[in-house]
Amino acid sequence: MNISGGKRGRITIHDVAAAAGVSISTASKALNDTGRMGAETRERVKRIAAEIGFRPNALARGLLSKRSFTIGLLTNDTYGRFTLPVMAGVSEALVDHGVSVFLCAIEDDPALGQIHVDAMLDKQVDGIIATGKRLDRRLPVDLSNLNVPVVYAFTEGAPDSVTFSSDDGHGARLATEWLRKLGRRRIAHITGPEDFVSVRERANAYREVAGDGVPVLFGVWSEGWGHDAVARLWSAPGEKPDGIFCGNDQIARGVIDALRERGIKVPQDVSVVGFDNWEIVAAQTRPPLTTVDMELKELGRQAGLTILSLAEGRPVEPGVRKLPCRLVVRQTCGGDALGI
């Protein structure tokens, strides 16, 4: 039976059954992995369904499984710097399971947050993933004691929750060890506000590699601060740094601009490493910036698979899971010369 070539409109379970030469009941059981039948029959029905383009009706599927096959993603990162890669990972993890994701941006407004949470519950989402713009702050809405599972990704989670975060200490060690591997011995660290947990974790890991007496300059997340920090370092007496590890890519770009203004070449005279691997900043820096990638897409993928497990009733151990970072070597650390 040539379903795909001779029939117009939506392919139904009746078409699958006819093409596979089985009853509608058998086709339904095969596609839903229920009932008793031979493995060959089940696989044949599934294969034919895929070949003719059968898509199960979401409402009917939800009625059978008591699930909506939707996940809510809640964030206060309205700029999308951290949320967009997390969401890409969540969607990648869930698309093959027929689960859709919809995003609700709540800024830092508790009332707006509650409106969106209520809307998600009204839509009977299978679960909620909460994500934000820093690891040590909760979203401005209470997600504890909901009747759906909640997973936290790149934001502080509730007690006894499942929380995914990037391992900032690991990323800082990668950056500092790479600078030392290049032969840099006078390494400075220019970073953001000290009240950020991530800033303190990166600074501590940097000191473990570079030594306790090395300078750490705390400031703000901006190019201007990177520029000012270089002025402070170069106006101080003594030897100047030959390597600089920056707390984010914006700071690093300000550092590189300030060094260029002083006639200091990057990477020949000073090697520079950033943090975040924010593509629109790192790749457009001149020279392109070596930086630490927090693997936010993988973080989102893990969060997506976990919320799926919880929605399906599988046990998941609560706690914080820190994912390793990755160093992306570009020209500010001699990537071309090293063939990396």
Side-chain angles (χ1 to χ4, degrees):
M1 181 176 180
N2 186 356
I3 297 292
S4 58
K7 191 175 181 69
R8 300 181 65 185
R10 185 183 180 91
I11 304 297
T12 69
I13 190 71
H14 299 78
D15 301 319
V16 176
V22 298
S23 67
I24 294 172
S25 174
T26 298
S28 178
K29 291 175 183 177
L31 294 172
N32 287 289
D33 287 319
T34 60
R36 298 179 62 182
M37 69 185 68
E40 187 278 332
T41 300
R42 192 182 300 277
E43 291 305 314
R44 180 164 54 87
V45 171
K46 289 182 177 181
R47 175 176 52 78
I48 290 173
E51 288 175 353
I52 67 176
F54 172 70
R55 295 176 59 196
N57 181 277
L59 178 59
R61 189 167 54 133
L63 290 173
L64 285 171
S65 63
K66 297 182 180 179
R67 290 177 53 197
S68 67
F69 292 90
T70 57
I71 295 294
L73 185 64
L74 198 68
T75 183
N76 65 344
D77 175 25
T78 51
Y79 190 68
R81 165 66 192 94
F82 304 106
T83 294
L84 292 179
V86 169
M87 185 173 183
V90 172
S91 299
E92 184 179 280
L94 298 181
V95 65
D96 289 338
H97 298 274
V99 178
S100 299
V101 182
F102 66 91
L103 173 67
C104 290
I106 65 173
E107 300 179 349
D108 286 309
D109 186 339
L112 180 60
Q114 192 59 55
I115 288 171
H116 281 309
V117 170
D118 290 342
M120 288 179 178
L121 298 178
D122 287 343
K123 293 179 184 296
Q124 298 183 317
V125 294
D126 293 331
I128 295 174
I129 296 176
T131 185
K133 49 193 175 184
R134 58 187 287 185
L135 293 169
D136 54 352
R137 290 288 186 273
R138 294 190 186 182
L139 296 187
V141 60
D142 186 11
L143 299 176
S144 60
N145 301 316
L146 298 183
N147 60 358
V148 298
V150 179
V151 169
Y152 298 84
F154 207 79
T155 191
E156 184 179 0
D160 299 322
S161 64
V162 181
T163 302
F164 290 91
S165 71
S166 54
D167 190 337
D168 286 285
H170 175 254
R173 280 188 289 274
L174 286 177
T176 315
E177 287 170 356
W178 182 254
L179 287 168
R180 290 187 66 84
K181 183 179 178 180
L182 293 175
R184 305 306 186 181
R185 292 296 177 265
R186 302 183 304 280
I187 304 171
H189 183 32
I190 303 172
T191 189
E194 194 172 4
D195 65 333
F196 278 62
V197 168
S198 59
V199 168
R200 297 196 298 273
E201 288 185 355
R202 294 173 195 175
N204 290 338
Y206 154 76
R207 290 189 181 105
E208 289 174 7
V209 178
D212 288 335
V214 293
V216 177
L217 282 71
F218 298 100
V220 295
W221 302 116
S222 72
E223 290 184 38
W225 162 234
H227 195 281
D228 293 345
V230 167
R232 186 180 304 183
L233 287 169
W234 260 256
S235 63
E239 290 186 305
K240 310 308 178 195
D242 59 2
I244 300 177
F245 166 42
C246 301
N248 77 350
D249 294 343
Q250 291 168 284
I251 292 172
R253 189 150 75 173
V255 164
I256 292 169
D257 287 346
L259 292 173
R260 183 184 301 111
E261 290 171 7
R262 285 169 169 74
I264 300 166
K265 296 179 180 179
V266 176
Q268 292 89 337
D269 302 325
V270 179
S271 295
V272 179
V273 181
F275 207 106
D276 289 349
N277 195 29
W278 191 4
E279 197 73 22
I280 61 173
V281 175
Q284 297 304 315
T285 300
R286 290 295 174 262
L289 179 64
T290 294
T291 182
V292 175
D293 193 309
M294 292 186 290
E295 297 283 44
L296 294 178
K297 185 175 180 181
E298 176 61 19
L299 189 148
R301 194 181 75 84
Q302 293 292 337
L305 293 174
T306 301
I307 200 73
L308 181 65
S309 294
L310 291 168
E312 293 175 347
R314 285 178 274 166
V316 176
E317 190 72 22
V320 177
R321 290 94 184 273
K322 289 192 173 186
L323 274 63
C325 297
R326 174 174 58 94
L327 185 69
V328 180
V329 178
R330 298 189 180 96
Q331 282 76 9
T332 58
C333 275
D336 281 349
L338 295 173
I340 295 173

